[in-house]
Amino acid sequence: VRMAKLEFGARRAVEPEKVSVASLIFDSVKQTLPVGIRSGSASMQHLVYEADGVNLHLSFERRPNTNKVFAMGQLLDKQAPLVWLGKAGVVLWSDKGLVITTAETNGYGEFQLEFEPQNHLRLTIATVDRKSIRISLGNLE
């Protein structure tokens, strides 16, 4: 029932006047690694997005011995840094508009997703009393 509510909430959130597109403000892959570890590859990617006074911190990590990506995220209110956005619906969509997986933020605004990597994924986050946030994740393959 919870998953169905999240999906219907996300579909309602697709109305253009109620959707805000998030901007990428930090990508760990684009940062220079410190001297001494530059030859190694980073196993985790950290991203920070911003939209309508909300910051979204995302981390992506490939699971060893599987073809899965594990994503961890946290929603924060930019105006009140110690206020977390709990009970928000998080939906990961394919480029064809199919729901891949869903989650709900806990009391600290945290959520987790696990999925197979694909190109052109997007994330929609529906919060209470705010515009829904849409994030284009690009290529995760």
Side-chain angles (χ1 to χ4, degrees), residues 49 118-122 135-141:
Y49 291 90
Q118 298 179 33
N119 288 328
H120 310 294
L121 294 175
R122 69 180 191 270
I135 300 163
S136 178
L137 297 177
N139 185 3
L140 294 178
E141 281 193 301

Side-chain angles (χ1 to χ4, degrees), residues 23-120:
S23 300
L24 179 66
I25 58 174
F26 175 79
D27 185 348
S28 64
V29 171
K30 295 180 181 178
Q31 298 296 311
T32 306
L33 292 173
V35 175
I37 61 169
R38 288 186 181 156
S39 62
S41 63
S43 64
M44 186 176 279
Q45 180 180 12
H46 300 281
L47 303 165
V48 179
Y49 291 90
E50 181 179 48
D52 287 335
V54 174
N55 280 351
L56 171 63
H57 295 252
L58 275 174
S59 296
F60 293 100
E61 180 179 22
R62 293 259 184 182
R63 289 290 189 192
N65 304 322
T66 68
N67 189 30
K68 297 274 185 178
V69 173
F70 182 70
M72 299 168 285
Q74 184 176 30
L75 289 173
L76 300 165
D77 187 326
K78 190 176 174 185
Q79 305 304 321
L82 296 177
V83 174
W84 300 280
L85 301 172
K87 302 293 183 192
V90 180
V91 181
L92 183 66
W93 303 86
S94 72
D95 63 340
K96 295 177 174 64
L98 300 174
V99 174
I100 295 172
T101 188
T102 62
E104 184 177 295
T105 60
N106 64 16
Y108 297 106
E110 302 167 330
F111 64 92
Q112 299 177 353
L113 302 169
E114 191 168 6
F115 56 94
E116 292 193 22
Q118 298 179 33
N119 288 328
H120 310 294

